[in-house]
Amino acid sequence: MFTPSGEWVIIFKHKVITGYLKSMGFRVLLCLLVAGFLPMLAIKQGIMRTYTTRAVAVRSTEVQNQCKILSNQLISSNYMRNRNSQLVAGELEQLANLYDGRILIIDQDFRIIKDTYELEENKIMVAEEVVKCFKGETTSHLAENRFIEITVPIQDTDSKVITGVILISVSTDSIRDNREYLEHNANMVLTGLAVLLVTASIFCSYILVRPVRNMGEYLERFSMGHDDEDMDIASYTETKKISQAFNRTITQMRVLDASRQEFVSNVSHELKTPLTSMKVLADSLLVQEDVPTELYKEFMGDIAEEIERENKIITDLLSLVKLDKKVAELNIEQANINDLLELILKRLRPIAARKNIEVVLESFRSVTAAVDSVKLTLAITNLVENAIKYNRENGWVHVSLDADHKFFYVKVMDSGIGIPEESRQQIFERFYRVDKSHSNEIDGTGLGLAITKSAILLHRGAIKVSSVLGEGTTFSVRIPLNYTS
Ligand SMILES: Nc1ncnc2c1ncn2[C@@H]1O[C@H](COP(=O)(O)OP(=O)(O)OP(=O)(O)O)[C@@H](O)[C@H]1O
Ligand SMILES: [Mg+2]
């Protein structure tokens, strides 16, 4: 029975153990151990097997040679007919003792005529080896892993007649003893090597896995909020690459985060400004008593203007959000670009007329392209609006349209105040306005060009600007005739 805390301890231990078993360190350790142990065991087994085979072969040859000598003595003493030779009997005993074995002499009738154990004499023996031996074949095999059984024919060297068979069983106890001794020593060496191997493997797996562990620790710290230091784990080429890729991603995220924060603070600021003005205007009306109707009207007019301004900012922001979406829905259809530009200029001419600015459209050819008319109109309108807004009295705005087989080109040129070189990269950023002082005079929120650029990029197009300060600015737009998603 477990107490609740006892159960927790067991669950915790279980988690720790399974966690370790799944860890990279354990896997590396396991690989090293397997790679080290298996060859060692295989080598040991190979040596033991070779030793046994070799020892049995040497013993067999040795015994066979002795038996051949014995066979000659048996022939010369005519032992098969006359078994009284003391010399041969002595030889047989000596040989049997020497190899700690037993010798049987079998005659042509398969009868055992001599058994050094004196147990089977006069019995018949029709063993397979004996039969083979009578055909002139010397045999040798290991029986029950304890005896080598060898048969040697008793053959007259001159007539080649086989008159009998010597069957000798030789004990392999001494071979087994030697093998056990060898195995014992091998096991001692193996144990020593195993201890060394385990120690070396633990050390190596620790060293090999250390960079990955460092990476984990870094990420742990990073996720806890310590995100100001870069990842720098250059132990392996792989970890170096991971570190670099991680640092690159983090840098991009930091830039994104900074621009998001800036955007949010800009939005808040821009939205607050008209509200503050309205509050001031409304308050000043409230604190005064008997306010003349004219002042009321004037202030209400100002409040209406501020509402209009707030409305424009919100509309622009909504346009940007829509265009910012990764897959903003484009409503692509074939449109006549000449007509589209004509319509834009027609709408803007009254505003240009206030400063007596001449607005001209120059079409080099008739262009039909697959575009989202609403978004493209928004983009070009912003450009022409700027060309009018940042222009001088009695200035001009030239809009031109041209095309080749792949793209159409719209240029918006003006005779305005120009854009300083250092600002040309930034004018497409959200809320960026070149000169705050002249910006105060000219109405705007700095969102127009950001909207224009997003709309053009959505059409897989491009926009660039060239300008001479005090003389004028040219925005060049290039858009494919056929939209490809
Ligand atoms: N044709 C131009 N000539 C001179 N300066 C320009 C011209 N077009 C843009 N600019 C500069 O680039 C800035 C960014 O233009 P953008 O159209 O994004 O904002 P805006 O005109 O200030 O405001 P909005 O268009 O959102 O009402 C402008 O404030 C202006 O300083
Ligand atoms: Mg603008």
Side-chain angles (χ1 to χ4, degrees):
M1 241 175 65
F2 301 123
T3 60
S5 62
E7 282 174 27
W8 280 116
V9 169
I10 286 176
I11 291 169
F12 176 72
K13 279 186 179 166
H14 175 73
K15 278 196 170 168
V16 170
I17 291 168
T18 44
Y20 177 67
L21 294 183
K22 283 183 181 169
S23 74
M24 189 177 172
F26 177 71
R27 303 283 159 96
V28 172
L29 178 66
L30 207 66
C31 288
L32 290 173
L33 287 178
V34 170
F37 261 130
L38 286 186
M40 264 164 39
L41 287 178
I43 288 170
K44 184 203 136 188
Q45 285 304 325
I47 289 175
M48 299 317 297
R49 203 169 300 129
T50 314
Y51 166 76
T52 312
T53 321
R54 181 89 189 117
V56 168
V58 168
R59 178 68 54 89
S60 302
T61 320
E62 201 178 300
V63 173
Q64 275 171 14
N65 289 341
Q66 293 292 338
C67 286
K68 277 177 192 154
I69 296 168
L70 181 68
S71 150
N72 288 340
Q73 278 179 351
L74 294 176
I75 294 285
S76 58
S77 63
N78 201 11
Y79 186 80
M80 301 312 285
R81 294 222 178 87
N82 172 16
R83 267 161 268 153
N84 294 331
S85 167
Q86 286 302 313
L87 183 74
V88 172
E91 280 286 330
L92 283 172
E93 281 305 320
Q94 208 182 343
L95 198 61
N97 289 338
L98 181 65
Y99 291 112
D100 188 16
R102 178 183 184 183
I103 301 175
L104 303 178
I105 309 284
I106 300 157
D107 70 6
Q108 279 170 315
D109 303 326
F110 295 98
R111 187 177 299 284
I112 299 166
I113 58 169
K114 174 70 184 167
D115 175 3
T116 50
Y117 281 12
E118 295 177 353
L119 296 172
E120 314 271 343
E121 277 177 6
N122 290 322
K123 287 191 181 162
I124 299 294
M125 176 168 234
V126 202
E128 192 188 339
E129 282 79 15
V130 176
V131 177
K132 278 185 186 167
C133 198
F134 271 114
K135 290 177 185 161
E137 196 179 317
T138 303
T139 69
S140 162
H141 81 274
L142 192 64
E144 297 165 15
N145 243 340
R146 293 190 55 219
F147 298 103
I148 310 170
E149 279 188 356
I150 296 166
T151 56
V152 176
I154 304 167
Q155 190 172 28
D156 193 309
T157 29
D158 300 328
S159 65
K160 302 286 179 209
V161 176
I162 297 170
T163 51
V165 165
I166 304 171
L167 173 68
I168 178 166
S169 306
V170 180
S171 164
T172 55
D173 284 355
S174 63
I175 294 177
R176 205 175 55 235
D177 288 350
N178 280 345
R179 189 195 145 104
E180 274 168 10
Y181 177 73
L182 200 67
E183 191 155 19
H184 175 73
N185 282 351
N187 285 343
M188 299 270 281
V189 174
L190 272 186
T191 315
L193 281 176
V195 173
L196 261 177
L197 183 72
V198 170
T199 321
S201 299
I202 291 173
F203 181 70
C204 284
S205 77
Y206 177 79
I207 296 288
L208 286 172
V209 175
R210 195 164 52 183
V212 179
R213 211 173 15 247
N214 288 346
M215 206 173 269
E217 281 164 11
Y218 170 86
L219 290 174
E220 191 77 24
R221 279 201 306 281
F222 189 87
S223 67
M224 304 282 274
H226 302 282
D227 53 3
D228 41 354
E229 57 177 299
D230 275 358
M231 187 193 273
D232 182 21
I233 299 166
S235 315
Y236 302 131
T237 317
E238 289 83 353
T239 53
K240 194 174 174 181
K241 278 187 184 163
I242 293 174
S243 298
Q244 286 167 347
F246 180 82
N247 292 337
R248 268 201 306 276
T249 314
I250 289 303
T251 312
Q252 282 169 4
M253 279 171 65
R254 282 186 187 130
V255 170
L256 253 170
D257 195 48
S259 93
R260 188 181 57 83
Q261 277 181 13
E262 194 194 326
F263 180 65
V264 170
S265 78
N266 282 339
V267 168
S268 327
H269 174 80
E270 292 297 327
L271 290 177
K272 257 186 93 180
T273 317
L275 285 177
T276 317
S277 307
M278 283 188 268
K279 174 104 172 81
V280 171
L281 289 164
D283 280 351
S284 59
L285 283 181
L286 284 173
V287 290
Q288 290 181 48
E289 276 176 26
D290 303 326
V291 185
T293 326
E294 290 76 38
L295 200 65
Y296 247 118
K297 274 195 175 162
E298 192 191 326
F299 277 26
M300 287 314 279
D302 290 347
I303 289 176
E305 256 178 42
E306 291 301 328
I307 291 173
E308 180 65 29
R309 186 169 146 76
E310 183 95 38
N311 192 26
K312 183 182 178 317
I313 296 171
I314 292 170
T315 315
D316 282 357
L317 280 173
L318 286 176
S319 309
L320 253 185
V321 170
K322 273 190 204 153
L323 290 166
D324 257 4
K325 277 190 201 161
K326 276 259 143 58
V327 242
E329 297 101 33
L330 275 183
N331 190 11
I332 299 287
E333 58 196 3
Q334 289 294 328
N336 184 305
I337 308 298
N338 306 67
D339 292 351
L340 190 135
L341 292 180
E342 198 70 69
L343 197 67
I344 293 172
L345 297 197
K346 195 176 153 201
R347 279 196 210 130
L348 292 175
R349 270 195 190 105
I351 305 171
R354 285 186 213 153
K355 280 205 235 164
N356 195 25
I357 293 168
E358 185 194 23
V359 181
V360 185
L361 174 65
E362 195 178 4
S363 294
F364 290 98
R365 64 195 73 230
S366 169
V367 178
T368 311
V371 293
D372 181 325
S373 305
V374 176
K375 294 195 171 77
L376 187 67
T377 303
L378 196 64
I380 307 288
T381 303
N382 274 325
L383 291 179
V384 182
E385 231 173 38
N386 281 351
I388 298 168
K389 248 190 342 187
Y390 303 102
N391 217 322
R392 56 181 164 81
E393 292 274 337
N394 308 317
W396 50 259
V397 174
H398 281 182
V399 180
S400 76
L401 172 67
D402 200 355
D404 56 23
H405 64 292
K406 262 179 132 177
F407 299 98
F408 68 88
Y409 305 87
V410 179
K411 267 190 188 169
V412 181
M413 291 164 276
D414 66 54
S415 57
I417 55 175
I419 303 168
E421 186 153 10
E422 64 275 12
S423 298
R424 280 178 214 157
Q425 286 304 312
Q426 287 152 284
I427 50 172
F428 296 102
E429 284 170 18
R430 294 171 293 196
F431 293 112
Y432 182 83
R433 306 199 70 205
V434 170
D435 181 357
K436 298 287 173 199
S437 60
H438 84 63
S439 300
N440 280 340
E441 299 152 23
I442 307 168
D443 218 26
T445 48
L447 289 172
L449 284 179
I451 294 172
T452 300
K453 190 169 181 182
S454 297
I456 290 169
L457 290 184
L458 271 180
H459 281 87
R460 310 273 177 263
I463 179 166
K464 62 180 186 195
V465 60
S466 61
S467 182
V468 179
L469 208 57
E471 285 187 20
T473 305
T474 302
F475 281 94
S476 310
V477 175
R478 188 191 76 185
I479 291 178
L481 290 170
N482 291 309
Y483 176 79
T484 42
S485 55

